[in-house]
Amino acid sequence: MWCSFGIEVVGSRPVSQQAAGGEAAAAGGGGGAGLLQGCCLPVLAGGYLWAGLLPLRVTVPFQRPHRGSPRTVLEEPIDTSGPVSIAVRTCEEASPYSLVDICLDVLIANLEKLCSKRPDGTLCLPEYWCFPQEIADRFLGMITWKGKLTDKTASIFQGNQMKLKLVNIQKAKISRAAFIKAFCHHKLIELDATAVHPDLPIPDIVRGLCSNSWIQQNLQCLLLDSTSVAQDSRLLYFGQLTGLRILSVFNVCFHTEDLTDVSQLPRLENLDISSTLVTDISALLTCKDQLKSLTMHCLKSLTMTKSQILAVIRELKCLLHLDISDHRQLNSDLAFHLLQQKDILPNVVSLDISGGAGITDGAVELFIQQRPEMQFVGLLATDAGYSDFFTTKQGLRVAGGANMRQISEALSRYRNRSCFMKEVLCRLFAVTFSVQVAMPAILKLVAVGMRNHPLDLTVQFTASACALNLTRQGLAKGMPVRLLSEVTCLLFKALKNFPDYQQLQKNCLLSLTNSRILMDVPFDRFNAAKFVMSWLSKYENPKMQTMAVSITSILALQLSPEQAKQLKEELFMAVKELLAIVKQKTSENLDDVILIFSLKALWNLTDVSHAACKYFIENQGLAVFIQVLETFTESGIQSKVLGLLNNIAEVRELSSKLVTEDVLKHVSILLHSSKMEVGYFAAGIIAHLTSDGQLWMAHDFQRRALLQDLHATIQIWPSSSCKMTALVTYRSLKAFFPLLGNFSQPEVQLWALWAMYHICSKNPSKYCKLLVEEGGLQLLCDILEHTEANPQAQQIAASILDDFTMHFLNFQRPSSV
């Protein structure tokens, strides 16, 4: 049995805004059967972003596609990284998972069971299975997203059962042979191989793609950001992929010779050569009549002069989008000189010059006024973007730091650039410090930044601080559960990557003080409990200690007994540290919030946990708790102490430790407390202890006196449906069962029946179900049929069975129309 009542507060933050009933938060998702043929999926097709059945037409500047979701190459490309798309996805997160996603999720979780194995150990789909192209693309994307795409699983895409077009293998660890067998026979129009494992370098990817003549001519989009290149590969030979319209080689060992090769592609329109080793961009003049989008962020290896670079750009008259953004630290003034040019980029609608030096509002305004069709300008980490022009100009989107609108745009645009992500998160933190409105779309962008830069400490720390601002106090109520779950999981992932960074740990701990997250959001509670328990012994900061104690008390309710057993070291240290806190507070006669939470945490940790009860005894917990009872007379403290002693009394191997003069004296006195819950817990201890006659071999007189006192007390209690301040909750009813069968001691049996009737009447949906699952119904029937049973016990047993019957009749009765 555990403690679960009231609204507890740490400082000014509510830790629990509802009774913590110990029910684990819903894990999301669900089961599913079979595969759906021809289902409508949220995919990009024909220029529309499908969200459910509602098509949204999005018209934005031509730029490099979003990394996270493949898209068809269109005459007017769709920017899926903007706030509109993020808002759509955030709305989806507020809805249940789609049936397609549930089915595919179940399929992925059970691949080993559902598939057969080839002689080499790779998986093979049942021969009668066939996936439509949209489902196949989505299936592959989900396997990749979950980190389960390997040589073993990639083999299911061999043959013709899957028909792939948009292939996403980001960060996958697969070999060249597996890549060719699984993907290179399909009619691919897009491949996202961002940051794949070095086992699959770019030359092997290109050779594999070129082994299929259809792909050579029709592959339109190839994303290879941060993908490795073998040291002996000097030329990457992209020129054979004649159908390419979009190529991204961000952060790749891509040289000037490779640019020369790429510039000869007959259909190339969108090129990203950011952070490459290109020293001369003159080769771009070869494709000047077709290139519409050029991204060369942080091109540090250029040896050309500014005038030479601008001369090349001046010839690219078809450009709609140009990105020459740079690190602020590099102090590049290329953008400053570009803004002075009047005869350059006549058709540009999108210009990114974030991080440039010497940029002013006046220069940017004049440049835009001369090009009235402009729709986007990137000004983050510059001195521009602060004048009224940028808020009043219709149809102009700005990525900057002047206001929330610019920050939102910057978060979306720069999700893959850590240098700008750090900058914009700092601005976001300042802006959201006192925000009063829930902003799920912004939180989603913060989560994307965290996921894209897991090993960047500055990004993780600043993002965690922003997440706290966006979810503090009541703001989390306006956030979708799935989004909060993602953010919480990302925070714990950051803890694993940076275990020694205390401030990041504090941010994670602070996030768990949010009752919405702690009670309603699915996350790994086992590792969370492990982390929080370790905090108890690591740090002595009173505020952090208070939060750790309060969170421990609630997480303890949400762990299964099996999980609690796995936390041996952490559990021992937690019990030891909590007892030390209780002992200190008692010696100081200080009944503050830390004492209350520590008592509550100990109560909850010892529930159905033999190990925790044993650790409590071994660390002189009984002596500490006797001192608590002698120091404090508040019923809230007394009920928590007695609740824990109840948990120990239920453990047969340890209950003898409670048969001492001090324990029995206090329990006997508190049995007659004017507070119902205090008397209830005292009665429970007496019932469990006196039910074992072997404990009283030399004290049978005392045992009989306690039983008489117990019986007399129960007789004056109100009905079992009475209300108690404490909401007593149980994981299991099994602790009552030995008492129910004790016909030789009707006092013990009577307390167990009274307690069961009380909790079943308060929460019939939970406890009536447990009666069935754990076999308690038969014990109640035995009491009714036993010829020597106490009539009062039979009456309560009959009442429980009557309520049980009524509950299930009401549950099964169809609702009236």
Side-chain angles (χ1 to χ4, degrees):
M1 162 244 302
W2 63 73
C3 170
S4 174
F5 54 95
I7 299 177
E8 309 273 13
V9 179
V10 180
S12 61
R13 284 175 178 258
V15 171
S16 174
Q17 297 180 352
Q18 58 183 356
E23 298 290 333
L35 292 173
L36 303 181
Q37 296 288 336
C39 284
C40 177
L41 297 173
V43 296
L44 292 167
Y48 289 89
L49 174 63
W50 286 92
L53 298 177
L54 175 65
L56 298 178
R57 184 62 171 174
V58 186
T59 306
V60 296
F62 192 28
Q63 65 171 38
R64 179 165 52 86
H66 167 44
R67 298 282 176 262
S69 56
R71 75 160 192 222
T72 304
V73 181
L74 307 168
E75 290 301 322
E76 296 179 34
I78 298 174
D79 173 14
T80 63
S81 65
V84 172
S85 177
I86 288 293
V88 170
R89 288 196 294 276
T90 304
C91 290
E92 288 176 352
E93 286 179 332
S95 304
Y97 290 94
S98 72
L99 183 56
V100 173
D101 282 346
I102 292 172
C103 290
L104 293 179
D105 199 45
V106 171
L107 176 56
I108 293 169
N110 295 278
L111 269 181
E112 295 270 358
K113 298 177 183 177
L114 297 171
C115 295
S116 58
K117 287 188 178 180
R118 297 184 176 89
D120 62 358
T122 59
L123 300 181
C124 180
L125 289 174
E127 61 181 18
Y128 55 87
W129 283 18
C130 184
F131 285 64
Q133 176 258 315
E134 291 181 351
I135 299 289
D137 288 343
R138 192 175 188 85
F139 182 41
L140 172 59
M142 288 181 67
I143 293 177
T144 301
W145 176 257
K146 292 174 178 292
K148 294 186 176 182
L149 186 64
T150 62
D151 285 7
K152 185 176 183 179
T153 56
S155 61
I156 64 177
F157 298 96
Q158 296 179 21
N160 296 318
Q161 290 171 278
M162 302 274 193
K163 296 186 182 298
L164 299 171
K165 283 189 178 180
L166 313 177
V167 168
N168 177 0
I169 58 171
Q170 291 184 55
K171 300 181 181 179
K173 184 178 181 180
I174 59 174
S175 65
R176 173 182 178 273
F179 171 73
I180 293 175
K181 289 180 181 178
F183 305 117
C184 293
H185 65 288
H186 293 279
K187 293 185 176 181
L188 305 184
I189 61 173
E190 177 174 318
L191 172 64
D192 186 346
T194 297
V196 294
H197 193 270
D199 286 350
L200 183 61
I202 289 179
D204 288 347
I205 294 174
V206 174
R207 278 192 288 268
L209 295 173
C210 291
S211 66
N212 183 331
S213 60
W214 193 95
I215 292 180
Q216 272 189 277
Q217 299 174 30
N218 295 280
L219 183 71
Q220 299 181 46
C221 179
L222 181 57
L223 310 179
L224 297 170
D225 296 359
S226 299
T227 303
S228 65
V229 176
Q231 292 183 353
D232 58 348
S233 298
R234 187 57 181 159
L235 194 60
L236 301 181
Y237 298 105
F238 289 107
Q240 300 177 63
L241 298 171
T242 56
L244 273 185
R245 295 175 60 186
I246 297 176
L247 175 64
S248 180
V249 287
F250 171 81
N251 194 33
V252 166
C253 289
F254 181 92
H255 298 82
T256 304
E257 297 89 337
D258 297 308
L259 180 62
T260 301
D261 183 41
V262 164
S263 297
Q264 298 176 30
L265 291 171
R267 300 179 185 176
L268 186 68
E269 296 178 351
N270 186 325
L271 179 62
D272 186 341
I273 54 173
S274 302
S275 298
T276 61
L277 301 177
V278 171
T279 58
D280 190 325
I281 62 170
S282 300
L284 293 174
L285 296 175
T286 305
C287 56
K288 64 178 183 179
D289 295 329
Q290 64 197 55
L291 195 63
K292 296 180 180 178
S293 175
L294 175 61
T295 303
M296 47 183 199
H297 161 72
C298 197
L299 210 55
K300 293 183 290 187
S301 297
L302 280 180
T303 57
M304 305 171 70
T305 65
K306 294 181 182 65
S307 59
Q308 290 173 328
I309 297 172
L310 292 174
V312 173
I313 294 175
R314 184 176 289 106
E315 295 298 316
L316 304 179
K317 300 186 183 297
C318 294
L319 273 188
L320 301 177
H321 168 73
L322 176 63
D323 182 347
I324 54 171
S325 59
D326 218 327
H327 287 285
R328 182 204 289 267
Q329 291 84 349
L330 297 178
N331 204 34
S332 170
D333 60 354
L334 175 63
F336 168 79
H337 290 284
L338 180 136
L339 292 175
Q340 315 306 316
Q341 312 296 312
K342 294 183 179 180
D343 58 342
I344 201 169
L345 301 174
N347 299 307
V348 72
V349 294
S350 168
L351 176 65
D352 198 331
I353 52 177
S354 289
I359 298 172
T360 64
D361 281 342
V364 178
E365 289 176 27
L366 181 60
F367 187 88
I368 294 174
Q369 287 170 348
Q370 294 171 349
R371 297 158 184 82
E373 299 300 317
M374 279 195 66
Q375 300 174 31
F376 168 78
V377 61
L379 299 174
L380 184 68
T382 71
D383 295 327
Y386 296 89
S387 73
D388 292 340
F389 171 84
F390 297 101
T391 56
T392 58
K393 170 70 173 173
Q394 292 294 320
L396 180 66
R397 290 156 59 178
V398 181
N403 52 50
M404 182 57 79
R405 189 179 183 88
Q406 291 187 13
I407 290 171
S408 172
E409 187 70 30
L411 282 169
S412 179
R413 294 273 174 170
Y414 304 132
R415 62 183 67 188
N416 295 302
R417 298 180 183 177
S418 61
C419 62
F420 290 156
M421 185 57 66
K422 297 170 189 176
E423 181 93 23
V424 70
L425 286 172
C426 288
R427 307 290 182 93
L428 179 66
F429 177 77
V431 172
T432 57
F433 195 76
S434 59
V435 67
Q436 300 295 321
V437 181
M439 295 186 288
I442 299 297
L443 183 61
K444 176 65 179 179
L445 290 168
V446 172
V448 171
M450 292 185 73
R451 187 176 294 280
N452 287 353
H453 307 283
L455 300 179
D456 191 305
L457 174 59
T458 305
V459 170
Q460 295 298 315
F461 169 60
T462 315
S464 68
C466 291
L468 282 175
N469 281 353
L470 293 167
T471 58
R472 59 184 170 77
Q473 297 181 6
L475 293 179
K477 292 181 179 179
M479 300 291 183
V481 168
R482 283 159 58 184
L483 177 57
L484 290 174
S485 177
E486 179 184 5
V487 171
T488 304
C489 292
L490 287 169
L491 285 171
F492 279 107
K493 185 176 181 180
L495 290 179
K496 290 181 181 179
N497 291 334
F498 304 101
D500 300 323
Y501 195 71
Q502 185 175 338
Q503 190 58 51
L504 183 59
Q505 292 189 332
K506 286 183 179 180
N507 288 349
C508 187
L509 194 64
L510 283 165
S511 72
L512 288 180
T513 64
N514 191 299
S515 61
R516 162 81 161 160
I517 293 174
L518 196 56
M519 301 304 300
D520 300 335
V521 172
F523 62 91
D524 186 347
R525 280 165 167 75
F526 174 78
N527 280 319
K530 196 172 184 178
F531 159 67
V532 175
M533 287 180 186
S534 69
W535 256 90
L536 290 174
S537 56
K538 275 185 180 179
Y539 307 105
E540 297 181 357
N541 181 295
K543 188 175 293 185
M544 302 306 295
Q545 190 179 63
T546 301
M547 286 187 290
V549 170
S550 63
I551 295 168
T552 298
S553 70
I554 296 177
L555 285 178
L557 307 178
Q558 301 170 338
L559 296 177
S560 68
E562 293 73 22
Q563 288 177 318
K565 288 179 183 178
Q566 298 177 46
L567 292 171
K568 290 183 179 179
E569 183 178 347
E570 291 81 8
L571 189 60
F572 177 80
M573 294 304 298
V575 171
K576 183 178 180 180
E577 186 64 29
L578 289 167
L579 278 172
I581 294 172
V582 172
K583 185 176 182 179
Q584 177 187 347
K585 296 296 180 182
T586 304
S587 65
E588 297 172 353
N589 197 16
L590 187 60
D591 58 340
D592 59 6
V593 68
I594 299 183
L595 173 66
I596 299 300
F597 277 132
S598 297
L599 293 172
K600 183 178 176 182
L602 283 166
W603 183 1
N604 292 338
L605 286 172
T606 54
D607 177 54
V608 196
S609 175
H610 181 285
C613 291
K614 181 172 176 286
Y615 298 153
F616 178 85
I617 297 292
E618 291 175 349
N619 284 281
Q620 289 74 51
L622 285 178
V624 174
F625 268 40
I626 292 297
Q627 189 64 38
V628 172
L629 291 176
E630 292 177 349
T631 305
F632 305 106
T633 59
E634 290 82 353
S635 62
I637 292 178
Q638 291 173 339
S639 62
K640 291 178 176 64
V641 170
L642 295 178
L644 182 145
L645 296 182
N646 255 288
N647 290 339
I648 296 176
E650 292 174 2
V651 181
R652 186 70 63 179
E653 297 85 349
L654 300 174
S655 57
S656 62
K657 302 294 184 181
L658 300 181
V659 185
T660 68
E661 182 179 348
D662 285 338
V663 172
L664 295 178
K665 178 185 70 173
H666 285 287
V667 170
S668 298
I669 294 172
L670 294 174
L671 178 64
H672 304 285
S673 171
S674 60
K675 299 297 183 180
M676 184 67 205
E677 65 274 12
V678 176
Y680 171 86
F681 296 134
I685 296 170
I686 293 173
H688 284 289
L689 294 181
T690 56
S691 68
D692 185 358
Q694 293 184 350
L695 299 179
W696 305 85
M697 297 298 290
H699 308 282
D700 192 58
F701 175 78
Q702 186 180 14
R703 174 173 170 268
R704 282 188 280 112
L706 285 170
L707 285 171
Q708 291 174 4
D709 205 8
L710 174 63
H711 183 268
T713 301
I714 295 175
Q715 299 307 312
I716 64 174
W717 280 356
S719 70
S720 301
S721 60
C722 71
K723 293 183 178 180
M724 288 193 286
T725 303
L727 176 62
V728 189
T729 53
Y730 294 82
R731 296 182 196 271
S732 168
L733 299 178
K734 290 181 179 179
F736 294 115
F737 293 171
L739 309 184
L740 292 178
N742 194 336
F743 290 93
S744 63
Q745 296 172 340
E747 304 88 351
V748 169
Q749 191 181 60
L750 196 60
W751 177 84
L753 286 165
W754 194 99
M756 288 180 63
Y757 190 22
H758 173 74
I759 62 175
C760 286
S761 65
K762 292 295 182 293
N763 191 352
S765 61
K766 175 180 179 179
Y767 295 111
C768 288
K769 181 171 178 282
L770 283 179
L771 276 175
V772 176
E773 293 176 348
E774 298 182 342
L777 285 178
Q778 185 59 52
L779 295 173
L780 294 173
C781 292
D782 290 345
I783 293 174
L784 289 178
E785 297 171 0
H786 201 284
T787 56
E788 298 181 5
N790 181 290
Q792 188 179 2
Q794 288 182 321
Q795 180 184 358
I796 298 178
S799 297
I800 296 174
L801 290 171
D802 287 344
D803 284 0
F804 172 85
T805 304
M806 289 302 297
H807 169 71
F808 280 101
L809 284 175
N810 290 333
F811 180 77
Q812 294 173 4
R813 183 179 299 137
S815 58
S816 57
V817 179

